[in-house]
Amino acid sequence: MDAATSLAGDFATLASSIALHARERGRAPALIAEGETLDYAGLDAAMDRVAAALQRDGLARGQAVAICGAAGLDYVAVFLGTLRAGGAATPLAPSATPAQLAAMIADSGADHVFVDAAVRLALSNQAIGARVIELGSPEYRAWLAAPGHAPHPIAIAPEDPFNIIYSSGTTGTPKGIVQSHAMRWAHIHRNAGAGFGTAVTMVATPLYSNTTLVVFLPTLGWGGTAVLMAKFDARRFLELAEAHRATHAMLVPVQYQRIMALPDFDRFDLSSFRLKTCTSAPFAPALKADVVARWPGLLIEYYGMTEGGGTTMLNCTAHPTKLHTVGVPVEGHDIRLIDEEGREVPPGESGEVVGRSPAMMNGYHRRADATRAAEWFDAQGRRFIRHGDLGRFDEDGFLILMDRKKDVIISGGFNIYPSDLEAVLAQHPLVADCAVVGVASDDWGETPVGFFVPAAPEADAAAILAWANAQLGRTQRLHALEAVTELPRSAIGKVLKRELRDAWSRR
């Protein structure tokens, strides 16, 4: 079978697709990282050596292999080699504390943990019940199977685990999200028209993030080239994109913000871009409009979850009057809105977003109760995933997000949506960034408190608070506003509101 036939089928694996690309066009570049290039033949051979070594060590089918470090060629070889060996790739965030990393490794059941030098040092005082191997080291080279040594073929079923991704921890203890080969194949297959086969894709978010994988995996699945950045820097991104004639990129809103704010952005030649995408965090309409106006190629915003469920898509280039929305459901995705009792709400009303599609998680690793809590079933018994967001559809079927359900502030019996307050604060010329959270109040149960990053030294919190409250409804008014150097964010740009609440409670 050739690659084109395989990609047109109902199911295949990423590892087999890469093998076909290696056979048909082995000299084509697959990965570029820190000036090094690995072609498809080289990537396929590296995957074989990793897979054979894992099988030699007794890796069980579906067993986790943990990886924690900066993106690089060896990192990718271990990730993809794990899949070829029949294991579940388990990428972990280096930004997690050593104790958190140890807990996630133990929870995953991994016998192997591949790390970079920084993570190895961080884990040095932790009791890790698995073999820790440093990527790129002599130890790693000695561990690999000999060149040309092929693994035993594994028949992968669609429901077999492809990866375990641990949640960012923005809402508490990270949970392992188990995604199947069928789910990942759906991500690859749905991008048939996105041009990934001839793509040069900038990979500027971490490989432990689903945000990254939804473009990284289709790039390799279709035979394109991925340019890996170990650490994001706005200017370096533009330099690499220009040098490699990049065509595709997935970025989170804070990255777009930093790139577009560069004074010399317009001097970079970005004319090769065909598709830019965004997801993972609220994307301000004004920023979307700026990207559309000044950066060539389509801008597409996706809204969805690592757990799967439903996905919406907004073609920002084609729908300039809908930039306040996250678009319409992707073909084949069913998104509905439900109330507190789990009943679907009437048209035009708001409710919690639930979604169903071919791309849905198997469940949370070893957490059946959490899996059940994340599910909703319609009258026909079909399984949906709760997104945890509140939203409503406009008259044209575009989804407008109102807030995270858990972030809604109930003050004196009234629902206050932090996003509404943040939208007002963001309009002030001396506010560079902002977030609003609910804190405990003896009088109201909860009350809203704002945090902002000043855009200039003369920004005065009291004056900005008075200005914002003059524009807000009486029940919405901020109790306080505090200036901060920066907002705490996850590696993919989500504001860690729990940290803001905790900081306020310690005052």
Side-chain angles (χ1 to χ4, degrees):
M1 182 184 296
D2 60 16
T5 302
S6 176
L7 287 163
D10 292 333
F11 175 71
T13 67
L14 177 60
S16 65
S17 296
I18 290 172
L20 291 172
H21 294 316
R23 187 179 70 191
E24 296 172 14
R25 39 197 294 273
R27 299 296 297 274
L31 302 169
I32 299 173
E34 303 298 329
E36 292 185 85
T37 299
L38 188 64
D39 61 23
Y40 273 93
L43 175 59
D44 186 58
M47 290 166 59
D48 270 353
R49 295 182 69 188
V50 170
L54 288 170
Q55 290 181 347
R56 175 200 67 212
D57 289 356
L59 180 75
R61 179 171 174 171
Q63 185 178 9
V65 174
I67 318 166
C68 188
L73 301 184
D74 288 339
Y75 186 117
V76 175
V78 170
F79 189 110
L80 299 176
T82 296
L83 303 178
R84 182 164 287 174
T90 305
L92 305 176
S95 57
T97 67
Q100 288 173 329
L101 288 174
M104 288 186 281
I105 292 166
D107 180 75
S108 73
D111 284 339
H112 295 78
V113 184
F114 295 88
V115 300
D116 61 16
V119 174
R120 179 159 217 166
L121 180 62
L123 290 176
S124 59
N125 292 322
Q126 297 293 319
I128 305 296
R131 183 177 178 182
V132 179
I133 301 173
E134 184 178 327
L135 294 168
S137 69
E139 174 193 23
Y140 173 70
R141 300 299 174 206
W143 173 83
L144 288 168
H149 196 98
H152 304 300
I154 301 292
I156 300 296
E159 66 273 12
D160 284 350
F162 180 105
N163 58 248
I164 303 173
I165 291 184
Y166 280 83
S167 62
S168 62
T170 58
T171 61
T173 304
K175 298 186 290 288
I177 301 165
V178 181
Q179 298 171 319
S180 68
H181 282 267
M183 178 175 180
R184 287 307 187 188
W185 183 249
H187 286 154
I188 294 170
H189 203 257
R190 79 181 184 193
N191 280 292
F196 278 110
T198 58
V200 177
T201 301
M202 294 296 298
V203 179
T205 47
L207 286 171
Y208 61 79
S209 166
N210 193 61
T211 294
T212 311
L213 296 179
V214 295
V215 293
F216 176 66
L217 300 180
T219 297
L220 296 180
W222 287 94
T225 303
V227 180
L228 304 177
M229 294 186 72
K231 183 178 181 180
F232 175 75
D233 174 81
R235 185 173 303 282
R236 182 62 178 153
F237 175 92
L238 293 176
E239 291 169 349
L240 288 170
E242 183 178 65
H244 294 294
R245 303 295 295 160
T247 61
H248 292 58
M250 167 68 86
L251 296 164
V252 296
V254 69
Q255 291 176 317
Y256 278 110
Q257 182 183 33
R258 292 173 183 173
I259 290 170
M260 302 309 293
L262 290 174
D264 57 346
F265 168 84
D266 295 308
R267 80 165 178 81
F268 290 92
D269 180 5
L270 304 178
S271 59
S272 57
F273 269 94
R274 304 197 299 265
L275 176 64
K276 306 174 300 299
T277 51
C278 184
T279 191
S280 293
F283 197 3
L287 181 56
K288 296 179 196 178
D290 190 27
V291 175
V292 169
R294 296 201 287 146
W295 194 334
L298 288 176
L299 175 63
I300 303 291
E301 180 182 13
Y302 288 105
Y303 161 69
M305 297 179 65
T306 301
E307 288 88 338
T311 298
T312 65
M313 182 184 77
L314 174 65
N315 184 330
C316 302
T317 309
H319 298 284
T321 64
K322 297 292 187 179
L323 300 186
H324 61 293
T325 79
V326 292
V328 298
V330 171
E331 184 178 355
H333 289 228
D334 186 355
I335 291 184
R336 305 186 195 178
L337 304 176
I338 61 174
D339 62 18
E340 291 286 347
E341 282 72 44
R343 300 170 301 203
E344 290 188 56
V345 303
E349 291 193 12
S350 63
E352 181 184 355
V353 180
V354 296
R356 171 181 170 82
S357 73
M360 297 169 67
M361 70 171 180
N362 290 7
Y364 292 115
H365 185 58
R366 297 177 173 174
R367 298 184 67 169
D369 290 348
T371 299
R372 286 192 292 271
E375 297 171 332
W376 176 82
F377 294 86
D378 69 4
Q380 287 71 45
R382 290 174 293 200
R383 176 179 179 249
F384 287 67
I385 300 294
R386 292 176 178 266
H387 287 219
D389 293 311
L390 297 175
R392 64 177 178 85
F393 286 103
D394 72 8
E395 63 278 4
D396 300 313
F398 286 70
L399 181 63
I400 301 171
L401 293 181
M402 299 167 65
D403 238 309
R404 292 290 295 169
K405 184 178 179 181
K406 68 180 183 303
D407 287 335
V408 172
I409 303 164
I410 303 176
S411 182
F414 292 94
N415 285 358
I416 300 174
Y417 298 100
S419 59
D420 292 341
L421 282 62
E422 290 161 357
V424 171
L425 281 171
Q427 294 174 23
H428 196 287
L430 296 179
V431 172
D433 202 0
C434 63
V436 173
V437 300
V439 301
S441 166
D442 291 336
D443 294 329
W444 306 106
E446 285 186 301
T447 191
V449 168
F451 298 83
F452 80 103
V453 177
E458 63 269 23
D460 179 74
I464 296 171
L465 174 64
W467 174 88
N469 280 343
Q471 300 180 68
L472 293 168
R474 184 173 59 85
T475 60
Q476 293 179 302
R477 291 172 187 165
L478 290 161
H479 171 70
L481 181 65
E482 183 174 297
V484 294
T485 304
E486 61 180 357
L487 297 177
R489 292 183 181 272
S490 69
I492 55 171
K494 292 184 179 180
V495 175
L496 302 174
K497 291 194 172 184
R498 175 168 49 85
E499 292 190 10
L500 293 174
R501 293 189 195 96
D502 291 347
W504 183 266
S505 68
R506 293 193 297 267
R507 291 167 57 91

